C-alpha cells in the first residue's frame, strides 16, 4: 500500500505515484489534511517508545497502519487555514496546531518513504538558506557553502564595500535566485536582505526522491563525468539526510572537483529533467528503502563556544526578551555584570537592530550603528498574541537558528514540545535503561466507544493537547460531561492518570534543581484554586542523570521538566513518570518567595552563557 499525504490532488508527483500503483496493482490512497477532521475518519494510535502503532480507518473503509508493507509519502508542509474553515473562529488556530502536531508525530512513525518533520515544517520544504548552510557545514564538512550576510544595506556595504560583483541579493528563502544582481539592485536602506555570494563553478540541478537522485546540468553545454556524478550523488544524499528532506530539488555548483552546496527545497517547479525524475520516483517505489531514521541530532544544531575563541572576560553576551516577563527581568538583573547587554524585544528595529554574517551575530543601536559581535545569546519567554505580531519578528527568530554561538531559547530546539507524543517517544529512547516511565498514551478520533475502551482498561484517564498550545488537562470525571460528538472531528490525546506528587526539575547545562508540590485541589496545578507552594527538594543522582539526559536529547541548554513522583505501594521505591519537557520555561513561577534560589539559578544561566559548564 502507498499512502500520499498532500494538499494537491492534481500534482505531478501525485499523478506519477498513482499511475505507478495502477500499473503494479498496488493500493493507492491519497489523504488531504482536512480528511483527518472528517467525522467518518477514525484514529486509534498507541504511543510507545519501542513501536508506536498508527491505526487509521478511512471513510471508504481502508485500514492504514504503520507496518512494513505501507509506504507513506508526506507532501504536506503546513496546515492551510482552509482545512479548518468549518470550525468556530475561536477554535481554528487551536485545531490547526493540534492537527499539525499530530501529523508531525504520526508521519514520523512510519517505516518507509517519509520526510520526517522538524522545527521548520511537516516535510521541511522551506528551510531558510542560512540554516541550510549551517546544517550542511556541520553535517557534511566535505561540502562548501556560500558566504552570506543578513542585514540592511548599510551594514552590508560597510562590511563588504559592494566591490565584489558575485553578490546576490534575495531573502531567507530565495532557493532559486543564483544570478548576481547587486549592481542592479536598488537596496532599501533599512530593509533587511540576504546577501550571498554565487559559488564558483558551473551550476547543476538535482532532483531527489528517497535514495534516488537525478542530476541535470543547468546549461546544455555542461557535461559531468560518471565518476563525478557518483561522487555528487553521494554528497547530495548526505545533504538531504542532514536537512531531513525526502523529495526535493537541489542546486549545487562544481568547480573542477569541488562541490559547493547551494540550496534544497521540497517545492519542485522545474520542467527540465521531469521525465527522468518521474522514472526515479518509480524506481524508488519499486524497491522502497527504510526512511531516514528520526534522530534529533540531524534536525537540530548545537553551536558551541570554540576553545580558540576570546577569553571569558572579553566576550559579549546578550539577553533579549520582554521587560514585563519575570524570568527575563530576573536574568536581566545580572546584566550589570561586565560584557552583558539587554535588548527589549518590542523595540526591535526601533531602538536596536541586528545583522548576521556567516553565523556570527552583531547587534547595535539604530542611531549610530555601534555594532557589537555577540558571543552568546539568551531569548527569554516572549508572549506573541497574534499572527501579525509574529510576522514582525519571524525573520529574527528564524535567523537565530543558524548562529554559530551558544543560544538559549532557539526556536529550532523547541519543536518537540510542539508535538508531545513525539517528545515522549524521543525522551524514552534517550534514557533507555534508566528509571523513567511515561504514562500509557493514545491518540483518538472517532466514536466515543474508543474512549470507553481506554477508561475500561485504565480506570481513569486524562485528556490534554497534542501541541504546545496551552490547554487544561482534565480527567474523565470532567471530560465525560462534554459534547462527545467533538471526538469525531480531529485527533485528541489521552493518557492514563498517574497518581503522585508534581515534581518540577530545571536543567541549565549540567546544573539541576528540583521543586515539589505537596498539595493541589485540581489535576492541573496551574488552575488549582487551592495548592501549596513548590518547595525545594533534594535531587537524587538518578534523577539528576535522567534530567540532564532529557535536556541533551532535545539539545536544549535550559529546560523545565514535569514529572509525577509516584511511590510504589509494594516496594516503597519511587518511580518518575515524565509528562513533558518545556524548552522555554517560565522558571521563576516555581520559586515564589524563594529569592535566594532565584538568584542562584539566574547565576547558573549567566555562567552557562559565559561559556562555563563545559559546553563541549
Amino acid at each position: 500500500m502507498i499512502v500520499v499525504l498532500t494538499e494537491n490532488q492534481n500534482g505531478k508527483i501525485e499523478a506519477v505515484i498513482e499511475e505507478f500503483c495502477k500499473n503494479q496493482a498496488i493500493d493507492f490512497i491519497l489523504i488531504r489534511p482536512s480528511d483527518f477532521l472528517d467525522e467518518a475518519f477514525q484514529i486509534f494510535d498507541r504511543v510507545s517508545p519501542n513501536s508506536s502503532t498508527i491505526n487509521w480507518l478511512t471513510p471508504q473503509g481502508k485500514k492504514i497502519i504503520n507496518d512494513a508493507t505501507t509506504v507513506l509519502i508526506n507532501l504536506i508542509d503546513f496546515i492551510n487555514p482552509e482545512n479548518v474553515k468549518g470550525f468556530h473562529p475561536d477554535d481554528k488556530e487551536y485545531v490547526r496546531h493540534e492537527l499539525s502536531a499530530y501529523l508531525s508525530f504520526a508521519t514520523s512513525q512510519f517505516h518507509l518513504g517519509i520526510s520526517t518533520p522538524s522545527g521548520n515544517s511537516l516535510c521541511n520544504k522551506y528551510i531558510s538558506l542560512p540554516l541550510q548552510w549551517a546544517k550542511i557545514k556541520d553535517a557534511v564538512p566535505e561540502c562548501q557553502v556560500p558566504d552570506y550576510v543578513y542585514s540592511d544595506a548599510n551594514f552590508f556595504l560597510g562590511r563588504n564595500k559592494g566591490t565584489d560583483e558575485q553578490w546576490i541579493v534575495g531573502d531567507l528563502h530565495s532557493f532559486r535566485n543564483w544570478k548576481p544582481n547587486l549592481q542592479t539592485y536598488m537596496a532599501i536602506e533599512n530593509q533587511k536582505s540576504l546577501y550571498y555570494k554565487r559559488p564558483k563553478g558551473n551550476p547543476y540541478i538535482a532532483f531527489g526522491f528517497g535514495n534516488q537522485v537525478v542530476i541535470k546540468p543547468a546549461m546544455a553545454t555542461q557535461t559531468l563525468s560518471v565518476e563525478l556524478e557518483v561522487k555528487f550523488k553521494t554528497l547530495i544524499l548526505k545533504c538531504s539526510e542532514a536537512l531531513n528532506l525526502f523529495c526535493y530539488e537541489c542546486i549545487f555548483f562544481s568547480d573542477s572537483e569541488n562541490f559547493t552546496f547551494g540550496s534544497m527545497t521540497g517545492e519542485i517547479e522545474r520542467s527540465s529533467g521531469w521525465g527522468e525524475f518521474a522514472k526515479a520516483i518509480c524506481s524508488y517505489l519499486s524497491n522502497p528503502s527504510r526512511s531516514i531514521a528520526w534522530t534529533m541530532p540531524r534536525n537540530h544544531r548545537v553551536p558551541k563556544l570554540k576553545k580558540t575563541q576570546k577569553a571569558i572576560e572579553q566576550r559579549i553576551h546578550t539577553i533579549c526578551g520582554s521587560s514585563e516577563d519575570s524570568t527575563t527581568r530576573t536574568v536581566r538583573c545580572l546584566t550589570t555584570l561586565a560584557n552583558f547587554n539587554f535588548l527589549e524585544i518590542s523595540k526591535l528595529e526601533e531602538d536596536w537592530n541586528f545583522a548576521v554574517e556567516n553565523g556570527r551575530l552583531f547587534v547595535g543601536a539604530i542611531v549610530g550603528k555601534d555594532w557589537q559581535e555577540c558571543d552568546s545569546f539568551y531569548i527569554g519567554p516572549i508572549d506573541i498574541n497574534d499572527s501579525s505580531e509574529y510576522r514582525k519578528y519571524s525573520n529574527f527568530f528564524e535567523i537565530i537558528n543558524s548562529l554559530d554561538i551558544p543560544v538559549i531559547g532557539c526556536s529550532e530546539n523547541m519543536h518537540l514540545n510542539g508535538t508531545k507524543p513525539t517528545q515522549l517517544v524521543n525522551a524514552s529512547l534517550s534514557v533507555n535503561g534508566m528509571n523513567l516511565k511515561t504514562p500509557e498514551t493514545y491518540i483518538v478520533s472517532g466514536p466515543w466507544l474508543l474512549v470507553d475502551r481506554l477508561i475500561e482498561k485504565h480506570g481513569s484517564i486524562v485528556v490534554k493537547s497534542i501541541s504546545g498550545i496551552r490547554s487544561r488537562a482534565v480527567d474523565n470525571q470532567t471530560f465525560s460531561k462534554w459534547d462527545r460528538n467533538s471526538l469525531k472531528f480531529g485527533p485528541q490525546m489521552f493518557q492514563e492518570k498517574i497518581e503522585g506528587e508534581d515534581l518540577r526539575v530545571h536543567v541549565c547545562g549540567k546544573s539541576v534543581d528540583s521543586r515539589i508540590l505537596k498539595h493541589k485541589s485540581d489535576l492541573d496545578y496551574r488552575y488549582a484554586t487551592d495548592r501549596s507552594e513548590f518547595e525545594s527538594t533534594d535531587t537524587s543522582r538518578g534523577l539528576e542523570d535522567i534530567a540532564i539526559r532529557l535536556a541533551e536529547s532535545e539539545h536544549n541548554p535550559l529546560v523545565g521538566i514535569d514529572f509525577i513522583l509516584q511511590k510504589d505501594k509494594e516496594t516503597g521505591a519511587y518511580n518518575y513518570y515524565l509528562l513533558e519537557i518545556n524548552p522555554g520555561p517560565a522558571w521563576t513561577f516555581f520559586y515564589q518567595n524563594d529569592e535566594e534560589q532565584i538568584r542562584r539559578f539566574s547565576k547558573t544561566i549567566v555562567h552557562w552563557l559565559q561559556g562555563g559548564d563545559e559546553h563541549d
Side-chain angles (χ1 to χ4, degrees):
M1 176 186 292
I2 297 179
V3 181
V4 177
L5 304 186
T6 181
E7 286 272 19
N8 188 2
Q9 288 183 284
N10 301 312
K12 295 176 73 174
I13 295 175
E14 292 85 344
V16 170
I17 298 173
E18 184 174 14
E19 182 66 21
F20 173 85
C21 291
K22 181 180 178 181
N23 294 335
Q24 300 296 320
I26 298 173
D27 280 345
F28 171 79
I29 300 177
L30 187 145
I31 302 178
R32 298 165 300 177
S34 58
D35 292 338
F36 291 95
L37 306 176
D38 189 315
E39 63 178 316
F41 194 105
Q42 292 186 27
I43 299 170
F44 193 76
D45 300 345
R46 182 176 179 272
V47 181
S48 170
N50 297 318
S51 57
S52 294
T53 303
I54 306 300
N55 196 332
W56 299 339
L57 183 63
T58 71
Q60 295 75 32
K62 292 286 187 179
K63 189 172 183 179
I64 302 169
I65 58 176
N66 59 328
D67 62 10
T69 67
T70 302
V71 177
L72 178 77
I73 308 296
N74 176 31
L75 303 176
I76 298 172
D77 193 50
F78 296 102
I79 304 301
N80 192 297
E82 281 295 306
N83 290 301
V84 297
K85 63 182 180 181
F87 287 82
H88 190 280
D90 292 343
D91 297 330
K92 287 183 177 180
E93 279 304 299
Y94 179 76
V95 174
R96 283 183 66 199
H97 279 90
E98 288 290 282
L99 181 56
S100 179
Y102 171 66
L103 291 178
S104 184
F105 160 71
T107 56
S108 69
Q109 301 306 305
F110 281 80
H111 303 284
L112 298 170
I114 60 170
S115 182
T116 55
S118 74
N120 305 287
S121 68
L122 289 171
C123 66
N124 304 321
K125 279 186 180 181
Y126 304 110
I127 305 173
S128 72
L129 287 173
L131 184 54
Q132 288 192 36
W133 298 329
K135 289 188 174 189
I136 297 302
K137 185 171 65 174
D138 289 347
V140 195
E142 57 264 53
C143 290
Q144 299 177 10
V145 296
D147 289 330
Y148 76 92
V149 176
Y150 181 71
S151 71
D152 59 22
N154 287 335
F155 180 91
F156 171 76
L157 294 174
R159 305 284 289 189
N160 295 278
K161 312 300 184 185
T163 57
D164 194 323
E165 296 182 356
Q166 294 304 302
W167 284 100
I168 303 163
V169 185
D171 59 38
L172 294 177
H173 301 93
S174 297
F175 304 120
R176 298 183 175 89
N177 182 14
W178 291 99
K179 184 176 181 179
N181 60 358
L182 181 64
Q183 301 304 318
T184 58
Y185 184 82
M186 299 299 291
I188 301 174
E189 183 178 357
N190 294 319
Q191 178 177 301
K192 286 187 178 60
S193 299
L194 182 66
Y195 301 85
Y196 51 108
K197 261 189 177 180
R198 184 197 184 278
K200 296 179 180 179
N202 294 322
Y204 292 85
I205 303 166
F207 302 96
F209 194 88
N211 58 6
Q212 300 294 310
V213 178
V214 175
I215 298 178
K216 300 290 291 183
M219 297 178 288
T221 56
Q222 295 173 217
T223 59
L224 187 64
S225 69
V226 174
E227 182 181 358
L228 281 181
E229 183 176 13
V230 171
K231 176 183 175 181
F232 290 159
K233 283 184 177 180
T234 300
L235 290 174
I236 289 168
L237 285 172
K238 287 184 179 181
C239 292
S240 68
E241 289 187 15
L243 301 179
N244 250 335
L245 273 164
F246 179 85
C247 177
Y248 55 87
E249 176 185 307
C250 173
I251 296 176
F252 69 95
F253 297 80
S254 172
D255 177 19
S256 182
E257 294 190 1
N258 294 319
F259 181 100
T260 302
F261 174 86
S263 65
M264 270 191 183
T265 173
E267 196 68 47
I268 299 173
E269 293 181 355
R270 297 179 185 271
S271 57
S272 174
W274 174 255
E276 289 183 59
F277 183 50
K279 291 179 182 177
I281 294 173
C282 294
S283 179
Y284 172 84
L285 296 175
S286 297
N287 185 26
S289 63
R290 185 169 178 80
S291 65
I292 299 169
W294 197 87
T295 53
M296 295 308 298
R298 280 182 179 152
N299 284 328
H300 294 238
R301 300 184 62 245
V302 193
K304 302 171 182 177
L305 285 173
K306 300 179 177 64
K307 296 182 185 301
T308 56
Q309 282 189 332
K310 296 177 285 187
I312 288 178
E313 63 272 12
Q314 295 177 319
R315 297 171 186 167
I316 301 297
H317 312 284
T318 300
I319 293 172
C320 177
S322 169
S323 56
E324 297 179 1
D325 170 66
S326 62
T327 304
T328 306
R329 280 202 313 270
T330 302
V331 179
R332 183 188 179 186
C333 289
L334 298 175
T335 60
T336 53
L337 297 171
N339 301 336
F340 267 84
N341 299 320
F342 175 75
L343 302 175
E344 175 67 49
I345 185 64
S346 63
K347 299 298 183 181
L348 172 61
E349 297 183 351
E350 294 178 22
D351 292 348
W352 64 276
N353 213 332
F354 72 95
V356 175
E357 181 178 19
N358 294 330
R360 300 162 61 196
L361 174 66
F362 298 83
V363 296
I366 291 292
V367 178
K369 292 291 177 65
D370 185 17
W371 295 101
Q372 285 187 314
E373 182 175 359
C374 297
D375 294 288
S376 69
F377 201 73
Y378 173 95
I379 307 175
I382 299 170
D383 186 16
I384 298 177
N385 297 316
D386 56 55
S387 56
S388 61
E389 190 176 7
Y390 179 81
R391 282 193 291 272
K392 176 181 177 181
Y393 306 115
S394 60
N395 284 353
F396 172 67
F397 294 143
E398 192 162 5
I399 197 70
I400 293 299
N401 292 326
S402 64
L403 298 181
D404 284 333
I405 61 174
V407 177
I408 290 178
C410 174
S411 63
E412 171 78 355
N413 293 344
M414 295 187 177
H415 164 62
L416 278 181
N417 190 247
T419 169
K420 291 186 176 66
T422 312
Q423 184 181 66
L424 288 174
V425 170
N426 182 71
S428 298
L429 292 172
S430 70
V431 296
N432 188 31
M434 303 175 78
N435 181 27
L436 180 69
K437 298 184 177 183
T438 56
E440 289 281 343
T441 302
Y442 307 85
I443 299 177
V444 179
S445 181
W448 193 261
L449 63 88
L450 299 176
V451 174
D452 285 336
R453 290 183 199 170
L454 300 181
I455 296 174
E456 182 179 352
K457 179 179 180 180
H458 296 289
S460 188
I461 59 175
V462 174
V463 64
K464 58 173 63 174
S465 62
I466 306 171
S467 68
I469 299 296
R470 186 169 182 172
S471 65
R472 185 173 183 171
V474 298
D475 61 22
N476 47 288
Q477 298 299 317
T478 298
F479 71 70
S480 291
K481 301 174 184 177
W482 297 349
D483 181 1
R484 299 188 174 194
N485 283 325
S486 63
L487 186 67
K488 298 178 181 179
F489 299 102
Q492 298 176 48
M493 189 166 83
F494 297 88
Q495 290 182 327
E496 65 170 320
K497 184 178 180 181
I498 305 298
E499 300 289 351
E501 295 176 322
D502 289 276
L503 182 65
R504 174 73 168 208
V505 178
H506 292 115
V507 181
C508 183
K510 303 293 184 183
S511 298
V512 178
D513 184 71
S514 303
R515 314 288 288 183
I516 195 164
L517 184 68
K518 298 286 188 178
H519 165 73
K520 62 180 180 178
S521 60
D522 194 289
L523 173 70
D524 192 331
Y525 64 76
R526 299 170 299 178
Y527 299 94
T529 55
D530 178 24
R531 65 173 176 83
S532 59
E533 297 291 343
F534 277 87
E535 304 171 9
S536 180
T537 185
D538 291 336
T539 305
S540 69
R541 181 57 184 270
L543 177 59
E544 182 177 307
D545 291 343
I546 289 171
I548 292 173
R549 186 78 65 83
L550 290 174
E552 290 174 345
S553 75
E554 301 219 345
H555 302 287
N556 250 326
L558 176 64
V559 296
I561 310 173
D562 288 319
F563 298 96
I564 295 293
L565 179 61
Q566 185 185 75
K567 188 174 183 179
D568 191 290
K569 295 178 181 178
E570 296 181 3
T571 66
Y574 284 98
N575 294 315
Y576 302 106
Y577 280 86
L578 174 66
L579 298 183
E580 66 174 294
I581 306 169
N582 298 279
W587 54 270
T588 52
F589 170 83
F590 301 89
Y591 297 93
Q592 296 176 17
N593 304 318
D594 194 344
E595 293 297 326
E596 180 181 351
Q597 185 58 31
I598 287 177
R599 285 194 298 273
R600 185 181 299 124
F601 199 73
S602 295
K603 289 179 180 179
T604 299
I605 295 173
V606 168
H607 176 67
W608 189 91
L609 291 169
Q610 289 176 322
D613 209 8
E614 299 179 348
H615 287 187
D616 292 335

